[in-house]
Amino acid sequence: MAFTAHQDPAMLTELRDTADTAAEKARQLAMWMREAKKVCVFTGAGISTAAGIADYRGPNGVWTLRAQGREDAIRSKDMMKALPTACHMALVKLMENGLLHHVISQNVDGLHRKSGVPAGKISELHGNTHLERCATCHREYLRDIDVTKNVLLDAATFSQGKSHLTGRRCAVASCNGPLEDTIVHFGEGLPVNIVTQGFEQSDASDLHIVLGSSLTVAPACKMPQATKENGGRLVIVNLQKTPLDPLADMKVHAKCDDFLTTVLRELDLVVPAFALKRRLCVWRSGGDLNVSSVDAADDDEPTMLVKSITPAAGKVTVGFEGHYGEPDVDLPLSVEVEAKLDDSIALFDVSYRPDASPEAEAWQTHGCRVVAMKSAGTPEGMAPPRAEMITCRPGNKRVVLQPAAPAPPKNYNLGGGFNVTPLETCPHCDDVPQAAAAAADGVDPAAPCTTCGHVGENMLCLICNEVHCGRHVEGHMVKHHEATGHPLVMGFSDLSCWCFACDSYIDAANPRLSAYYTAYHVAKFGEVPPYVTPQSRGAAFVARVCAKYGVSTPALTAPPAAPAVVDDDDEPMEMFSVYPAPSCPHTPSLPNPSSLSVDPRAPCGACGNVGENMMCLTCQKVFCGRHVKEHMLEHHDETGHPIVCGFKDLSFWCYPCETYLLPTNPSVAPYHAALYVAKFGELPPNVRGQITEASDDKPSS
């Protein structure tokens, strides 16, 4: 964005066509729209002033008043409560009737998406206050909150500054990358893919209509010009003059709402009233009732609009954020629909008119559509939209998604001694069947992927015992989860247990998991695990595996007791399947980083890969890990430098000792603190104060 006000007073003057002139221009534009093969609209802040949101370069615009020293006079409505205008709704109507094909917008208020413009038909150049994007896989999340609230601190300035991290993580099980808001701050470049899309749409259009933009910000203002230069028509609707006026085939000095309403009348169309539209998805897994949402115009575009669910006989009540005072909505679940929810998804289209009369029904339900759930048997069905779904266990009366606006992440728990601290349990552990003695014959950590035959880096589904490869190979376990909904798996590489539905590791000491963990530890290492005692509910299973591998059967405990893990200093730790060591012989060799410049997104020094990289703590060089091209391993082989830190989870690994290291180690802590600040914008909890203490394992100089 450009932080500038008009310098020429003439550009501030608002001009208005007479009613007859505006009506004639509307008739002409309606004719051009009927003739055009492809129509593109370019919108600026001027189309949202009728919604109470201030523009930038109008007589009372934000930049104008700031330039005049009248910043106190700026008046603008909260974007979360602003309603789409007649102009917004007119564009939706034109799109529905095939008379408009794409919208390019400079606005961040989200009113286009809220009005009903599909995600695939809009290029939001400066972002959307409701939209987050994963920094790793680029998956987008449309929410009913302002995602720019509570952004994390900028690592360089320790202020919000140009930080985009929201504190949430990607819901794609194979990713879990950090989410960022999509807003373009001053001085930042526009997203290349969005700009490219905007120019492609402009080049392909033979009619480009500009609505409410001063057309002073490049390269955005070059998009309408591209249509003109390719032989198309250019129409500009704006109360003030613009730099592209000399190129325009038609210039209209009128309010956008009034002019477009007249254009639609010439096209025999009526501007629809705004209504909140929600497409709500209901299904069941393992007895749990799940509710989520998708875009009202696209089943494959997940949204995060649900706040709470309350099940009852024959219905489920769904609550929302309530920005417009919208009440909860009751979704009727007939006996026929309920009977299908285990293998199908019920989609309800509902709408709410914020301006409806008090006696009108609050929500209108526009039918229920039941779609087969995608699975191994129905690969063409719909995959459950699990991103931030709300799950209600049997017997629960009400479940509320909290918090609506997140605080900076606090999931880092050094008490567990690992950078991804596992949960003690999750609602899906009860889905894991009791380990059967018959299953013991199949315990094999070297089992190939059922789908592609790959050996190594595979995972076991704890629901059906199928083996598939992980995300670093072909991702067949992720596909298995998406097809079946089976939530819990165990990785053969590190014997960690992961819940796709909860997007978290689960403590292997959990009574439902300990038998599996013990069995595979025996099969992989020839001994029972030192920290996990299997529960008696898996006794036969564990005994049979131990007998198969010639290992003495461990003593069993009665569920649900879970033993604490104790390290060498008798400090209690939480359970994790790969235990980090408090120290190793190589930590004293690490240099003391008096000045450390780190960037968790730094590319590999050998191949340029971004993501899945590691930093050598001896020389601070960055290379990719074993799941990419193994350049860090090659660096270690060449230099002998022992200890590295992974950017993805900030774990520390010693090659010679083949072990993870606690980030609280005095030699490691400064690196950990610097990387944590660079990645999350704050000092790691429980480390403050430790990074300045003298090292006990570093030789004195």
Side-chain angles (χ1 to χ4, degrees):
M1 294 183 184
F3 179 25
T4 56
H6 283 310
Q7 302 300 312
D8 183 357
M11 299 294 286
L12 275 175
T13 304
E14 290 188 345
L15 307 172
R16 297 181 186 274
D17 291 336
T18 65
D20 290 343
T21 300
E24 179 57 36
K25 290 178 178 179
R27 281 190 289 273
Q28 182 65 60
L29 179 57
M31 182 179 69
W32 286 350
M33 294 185 75
R34 288 192 179 100
E35 295 173 353
K37 295 180 180 179
K38 184 164 187 176
V39 179
C40 187
V41 161
F42 184 97
T43 67
I47 74 163
S48 296
T49 55
I53 299 174
D55 61 13
Y56 292 95
R57 296 174 181 85
N60 296 304
V62 174
W63 303 157
T64 302
L65 294 178
R66 285 183 179 176
Q68 296 173 355
R70 300 168 55 211
E71 192 165 349
D72 291 345
I74 296 174
R75 299 289 183 270
S76 189
K77 189 172 185 176
D78 181 358
M79 290 184 185
M80 297 305 302
K81 298 182 182 298
L83 294 170
T85 66
C87 180
H88 289 96
M89 299 312 301
L91 297 180
V92 172
K93 191 67 173 180
L94 290 170
M95 197 166 274
E96 290 174 348
N97 284 269
L99 295 168
L100 172 61
H101 304 88
H102 198 79
V103 173
I104 302 171
S105 182
Q106 296 173 294
N107 300 339
V108 301
D109 51 37
L111 291 180
H112 280 304
R113 292 290 302 275
K114 195 174 289 186
S115 68
V117 175
K121 294 189 176 183
I122 185 169
S123 301
E124 293 178 299
L125 301 176
H126 295 152
N128 183 329
T129 55
H130 302 271
L131 190 67
E132 289 178 292
R133 183 178 295 116
C134 177
T136 302
C137 72
H138 309 298
R139 174 76 170 269
E140 292 187 344
Y141 297 85
L142 186 69
R143 303 184 186 273
D144 201 18
I145 60 173
D146 181 352
V147 302
T148 66
K149 296 285 183 66
N150 298 327
V151 294
L152 304 189
L153 300 183
D154 183 80
T157 63
F158 289 92
S159 64
Q160 286 191 337
K162 295 180 180 179
S163 172
H164 293 279
L165 294 171
T166 66
R168 286 175 285 267
R169 312 291 294 188
C170 182
V172 177
S174 59
C175 178
N176 196 38
L179 298 186
E180 299 179 321
D181 69 50
T182 54
I183 302 302
V184 178
H185 294 297
F186 302 111
E188 294 181 332
L190 300 180
V192 174
N193 61 319
I194 303 297
V195 172
T196 300
Q197 181 187 53
F199 274 110
E200 288 176 347
Q201 294 293 331
S202 299
D203 289 338
S205 298
D206 50 359
L207 175 59
H208 207 129
I209 306 170
V210 177
L211 298 170
S213 174
S214 61
L215 295 173
T216 58
V217 181
C221 64
K222 302 295 184 183
M223 295 176 186
Q225 184 175 337
T227 300
K228 180 65 177 178
E229 291 174 349
N230 286 334
R233 290 189 173 108
L234 174 60
V235 175
I236 300 175
V237 183
N238 198 54
L239 290 174
Q240 298 166 304
K241 295 179 180 179
T242 81
L244 294 191
D245 286 358
L247 298 178
D249 295 276
M250 178 190 294
K251 176 63 193 289
V252 181
H253 294 292
K255 291 185 176 181
C256 296
D257 283 3
D258 297 340
F259 184 70
L260 274 197
T261 299
T262 305
V263 171
L264 261 67
R265 190 160 51 244
E266 292 294 332
L267 293 167
D268 297 323
L269 299 174
V270 176
V271 177
F274 167 67
L276 281 175
K277 293 183 179 180
R278 302 282 189 253
R279 180 165 293 171
L280 303 172
C281 309
V282 183
W283 73 100
R284 191 182 290 109
S285 59
D288 300 341
L289 187 68
N290 307 300
V291 178
S292 188
S293 58
V294 294
D295 191 287
D298 187 351
D299 290 352
D300 294 325
E301 189 72 26
T303 59
M304 289 79 208
L305 307 176
V306 178
K307 176 71 172 177
S308 67
I309 61 173
T310 306
K315 69 177 182 179
V316 58
T317 301
V318 180
F320 307 99
E321 292 291 340
H323 299 301
Y324 300 123
E326 66 272 22
D328 295 350
V329 59
D330 290 334
L331 303 181
L333 297 177
S334 65
V335 175
E336 293 77 10
V337 170
E338 285 224 44
K340 298 177 181 178
L341 293 182
D342 287 317
D343 54 15
S344 301
I345 302 173
L347 288 88
F348 293 86
D349 286 311
V350 298
S351 63
Y352 169 74
R353 285 273 305 276
D355 60 346
S357 60
E359 61 272 13
E361 187 176 348
W363 283 93
Q364 297 288 326
T365 302
H366 307 285
C368 173
R369 178 164 51 99
V370 179
V371 179
M373 192 183 304
K374 183 181 291 186
S375 65
T378 56
E380 302 303 319
M382 178 180 176
R386 299 182 182 276
E388 293 210 6
M389 67 182 183
I390 300 184
T391 298
C392 192
R393 303 299 305 276
N396 286 356
K397 294 182 178 180
R398 178 176 170 86
V399 179
V400 180
L401 183 63
Q402 294 287 356
K410 300 296 183 183
N411 60 327
Y412 192 99
N413 184 341
L414 289 176
F418 199 82
N419 294 303
V420 183
T421 303
L423 300 174
E424 292 182 5
T425 188
C426 81
H428 305 89
C429 288
D430 290 340
D431 297 337
V432 177
Q434 180 176 325
D441 293 333
V443 172
D444 180 10
C449 172
T450 303
T451 305
C452 66
H454 172 80
V455 176
E457 292 289 332
N458 289 340
M459 313 177 87
L460 172 76
C461 174
L462 297 183
I463 307 299
C464 65
N465 291 325
E466 285 191 14
V467 174
H468 296 280
C469 60
R471 66 187 180 91
H472 298 121
V473 188
E474 298 292 337
H476 287 129
M477 184 55 82
V478 177
K479 296 175 183 176
H480 173 73
H481 159 68
E482 292 174 345
T484 64
H486 294 172
L488 281 153
V489 298
M490 183 172 67
F492 290 159
S493 179
D494 58 5
L495 301 189
S496 60
C497 298
W498 175 262
C499 180
F500 284 110
C502 294
D503 202 17
S504 178
Y505 289 103
I506 308 298
D507 192 335
N510 181 283
R512 281 285 186 177
L513 309 181
S514 61
Y516 287 96
Y517 174 74
T518 302
Y520 275 85
H521 194 282
V522 167
K524 185 168 185 176
F525 300 111
E527 63 178 6
V528 296
Y531 301 121
V532 176
T533 304
Q535 309 304 313
S536 57
R537 58 164 55 104
F541 173 67
V542 172
R544 188 159 178 169
V545 172
C546 288
K548 176 181 178 180
Y549 288 94
V551 176
S552 298
T553 304
L556 304 178
T557 64
V565 180
V566 180
D567 67 12
D568 294 339
D569 296 323
D570 293 329
E571 292 292 334
M573 299 194 307
E574 293 179 24
M575 164 65 208
F576 196 79
S577 302
V578 180
Y579 296 94
S583 185
C584 82
H586 302 90
T587 54
S589 67
L590 295 177
N592 191 0
S594 57
S595 62
L596 182 63
S597 176
V598 295
D599 179 5
R601 297 183 187 178
C604 172
C607 65
N609 173 72
V610 176
E612 295 284 339
N613 290 340
M614 314 174 87
M615 183 177 76
C616 173
L617 300 194
T618 302
C619 64
Q620 298 182 26
K621 290 185 178 179
V622 175
F623 295 101
C624 61
R626 65 190 178 92
H627 298 121
V628 188
K629 296 186 178 180
E630 299 187 331
H631 286 128
M632 183 56 81
L633 181 58
E634 295 177 5
H635 173 72
H636 162 68
D637 291 341
E638 294 172 359
T639 64
H641 296 171
I643 301 175
V644 298
C645 177
F647 289 160
K648 186 171 182 64
D649 59 4
L650 301 190
S651 59
F652 293 85
W653 176 260
C654 179
Y655 283 110
C657 296
E658 292 191 339
T659 186
Y660 288 104
L661 294 169
L662 281 170
T664 49
N665 178 280
S667 296
V668 170
Y671 294 94
H672 171 251
L675 283 160
Y676 193 96
V677 168
K679 185 167 186 176
F680 297 114
E682 64 175 3
L683 282 171
N686 301 334
V687 173
R688 302 181 184 95
Q690 295 188 30
I691 59 175
T692 58
E693 295 177 1
S695 171
D696 293 331
D697 64 353
K698 187 180 292 295
S700 59
S701 56

